């Protein structure tokens, strides 16, 4: 699964997902797809993967590579107070300003407005003055 996810073969991933074991086994594939910036594959894998596996490795890789659309998918499942903040640090280090801004806005909303963040999960971050 990891190889086809890394290559961005969404049609193959779509066929393999129902045949795989849940969550942990697909987390490596999620990391590979996130690193390569394959948004569609990440969308397919998120429901059957653990986005928090290995200290949110998928978020870290997407942030480090500047894949803002993938980061936007992964941030709602992250923990701004935990080790997920290393993804933000890496994005800043690599100069990915859009990813840094997006992460800060999303985590601000989740930290300051936790109920709103739960309501907004899976949707755009609006309602607290921030645009994604």
């Amino acid at each position: 699964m990891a190889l086809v996810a890394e290559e961005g073969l969404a049609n193959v991933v779509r066929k393999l997902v129902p045949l795989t074991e849940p969550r942990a086994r697909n987390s490596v594939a999620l990391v590979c797809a996130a690193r390569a910036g394959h948004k569609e594959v990440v969308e397919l894998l998120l429901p059957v993967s653990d986005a928090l596996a290995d200290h949110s490795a998928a978020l870290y890789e997407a942030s480090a590579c500047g894949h803002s659309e993938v980061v936007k998918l992964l941030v709602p499942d992250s923990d701004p107070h935990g080790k997920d903040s290393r993804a933000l640090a890496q994005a800043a280090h690599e100069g990915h300003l859009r990813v840094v801004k997006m992460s800060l806005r999303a985590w601000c909303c989740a930290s300051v407005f936790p109920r709103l963040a739960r309501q907004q999960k899976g949707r755009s971050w609006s309602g607290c003055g921030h645009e994604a």
Side-chain angles (χ1 to χ4, degrees):
M1 177 78 85
L3 183 59
V4 295
E6 187 170 35
E7 293 298 320
L9 303 173
N11 290 335
V12 177
V13 171
R14 193 174 285 110
K15 290 176 184 176
L16 290 176
V17 163
L19 306 174
T20 62
E21 292 182 33
R23 298 193 88 57
R25 303 241 172 155
N26 296 322
S27 298
V28 172
L30 180 65
V31 172
C32 292
R35 180 185 313 120
H38 299 301
K39 180 184 174 190
E40 184 180 1
V41 174
V42 170
E43 289 173 320
L44 292 168
L45 291 172
L46 263 174
V48 295
S49 302
D50 181 5
L52 294 172
D54 296 323
H55 305 292
S56 299
L59 178 63
Y60 178 85
E61 293 294 337
S63 296
C65 295
H67 300 303
S68 59
E69 293 301 313
V70 174
V71 169
K72 189 173 183 177
L73 292 172
L74 296 168
V75 162
D77 291 318
S78 66
D79 178 8
H81 302 295
K83 292 190 177 187
D84 297 352
S85 61
R86 71 188 182 108
L88 174 60
Q90 188 61 30
H93 176 75
E94 296 292 336
H96 301 302
L97 186 59
R98 185 168 185 213
V99 170
V100 170
K101 286 181 178 181
M102 183 184 308
S103 298
L104 286 173
R105 288 177 183 146
W107 285 338
C108 169
C109 295
S111 298
V112 178
F113 304 100
R115 190 171 131 224
L116 175 66
R118 284 192 299 277
Q119 291 170 349
Q120 293 294 323
K121 189 170 183 172
R123 294 181 273 166
S124 65
W125 305 296
S126 60
C128 63
H130 292 130
E131 295 294 324

